[in-house]
Amino acid sequence: MSKHIKDTDYLAISARIRAMEGSLLTRERMEQILEARSDEDAAKLLHECGYPELDASRPEAMDAALSAAREAVLEDLAGGAPDPRYIDLFKLKYDYHNVKALLKAAAVGADPSHMLMDMGRVSTAVLREALETGHLEELPDLLAQAVEEAREVLDTTRDPQLSDIVLDRWTYREMTQLAGDTGSAFLLGYVRTQIDAANLRTLIRVARMGKSGEFLRGVLLSGGEVPPESMEKAGAAGAAGITELYAPTRFQAAAEAGAQALQGGPLTEFERLCDDAVADYLDTARYVPFGEAPLIGYLAARETEYTNLRILLMGRSMGLDPDVIRSRLRAGCV
């Protein structure tokens, strides 16, 4: 049995994180990058913030550079985190992403290399060999179970969407179990909030497609604060039911935007507000002096920063209006 970890065990790393928070991109710096006269000027500003050269005209190279920066942060903090499972939580989603890519590529005889992201707990080389040979014992137990079920569904139905649904369910199942095993109420709340965001997205998309309540029941995730049964009833009632269900929650604004999107409008604002609701939960970590909450909050803030940089740099390279780019940026800047 592992020793009990106390909040005070995080004193040293919490102090480091408070110092590292100063390197997060502020809204003002994001605005400077957005308004930079040239891509070279934008890259220079990012370099001054500690980023390697990022070239939006070469998306693969830009993603590789952002991935390398992310890995460096995780490796740095892993050495000082009393419980490595907090780091694992931010890695495991990439394991499941890679399984999706590998299974789909195998089904059509394609090379998945360009879709793989070597940012998970398991290297893409090890994961690829495990799936190709069927020797899954090298994988974490729940991931191995997920591979077996998803492969069976794909082999039986030949429907990659159903296989993805299986893997999404296992992703959040493992995140929930990992969070529960740590004993951290803050981490478990973070996972539950992510599940609520995923379910709200599903609810709106299913409603837009005109799918049945039975279909919705099959794709909703358990483990969030909003029960799937309540979402089913809200979906049957349409836009009014959805806004009423989420009115007393942090997803009120997202649900209202989703209800508007049911009329056929774009989902961009709705998607952004779902992410902002998760950021609103994480914002409470700012007021915790030490413990696991500052670590989780910082790692999530970095994830949001990487997302915003992709949106910003790709938007610039496409010549999008700055106001359009601003409307897509997620909350989370300091």
Side-chain angles (χ1 to χ4, degrees), residues 51-66:
Y51 277 94
E53 183 176 349
L54 299 174
D55 185 356
S57 65
R58 298 171 57 225
E60 290 186 7
M62 183 185 73
D63 279 344
L66 286 174

Side-chain angles (χ1 to χ4, degrees), residues 68-267:
R70 178 184 180 277
E71 279 297 290
V73 169
L74 289 175
E75 184 177 350
D76 180 26
L77 292 176
D83 190 335
R85 290 175 295 188
Y86 294 113
I87 305 297
D88 284 346
L89 187 111
F90 287 88
K91 289 189 169 191
L92 70 83
K93 64 182 179 182
Y94 294 101
D95 293 332
Y96 287 91
H97 163 84
N98 289 332
V99 169
K100 289 180 183 180
L102 287 164
L103 290 179
K104 289 176 186 175
V108 298
D111 181 2
S113 299
H114 67 287
M115 297 183 289
L116 300 178
M117 304 176 73
D118 215 347
M119 297 189 292
R121 300 163 299 172
V122 183
S123 74
T124 54
V126 169
L127 190 59
R128 188 169 187 169
E129 182 177 1
L131 267 67
E132 288 176 352
T133 63
H135 298 309
L136 305 179
E137 59 272 6
E138 296 295 322
L139 306 181
D141 183 57
L142 291 185
L143 181 61
Q145 293 180 50
V147 170
E148 291 179 340
E149 183 179 343
R151 176 178 276 161
E152 181 180 354
V153 167
L154 188 58
D155 289 345
T156 302
T157 66
R158 294 296 172 185
D159 187 340
Q161 183 182 32
L162 294 179
S163 177
D164 283 354
I165 290 171
V166 168
L167 289 167
D168 287 340
R169 197 176 301 282
W170 276 99
T171 300
Y172 288 105
R173 182 182 302 173
E174 184 166 5
M175 289 176 70
T176 300
Q177 179 174 309
L178 185 152
D181 289 346
T182 66
S184 169
F186 185 82
L187 185 62
L188 188 57
Y190 173 46
V191 173
R192 285 175 172 163
T193 304
Q194 287 184 298
I195 291 172
D196 284 334
N199 277 338
L200 178 54
R201 287 186 171 100
T202 297
L203 177 59
I204 295 299
R205 288 174 183 147
V206 168
R208 274 169 62 103
M209 292 187 293
K211 295 281 189 177
S212 68
E214 182 179 357
F215 178 87
L216 177 63
R217 188 177 310 118
V219 295
L220 288 175
L221 303 164
S222 59
E225 298 292 345
V226 181
E229 313 82 64
S230 299
M231 285 181 274
E232 290 177 43
K233 293 179 181 178
I242 293 171
T243 54
E244 180 181 357
L245 175 63
Y246 287 93
T249 75
R250 66 179 75 250
F251 289 93
Q252 178 183 4
E256 291 172 354
Q260 293 177 5
L262 290 180
Q263 309 305 315
L267 289 169

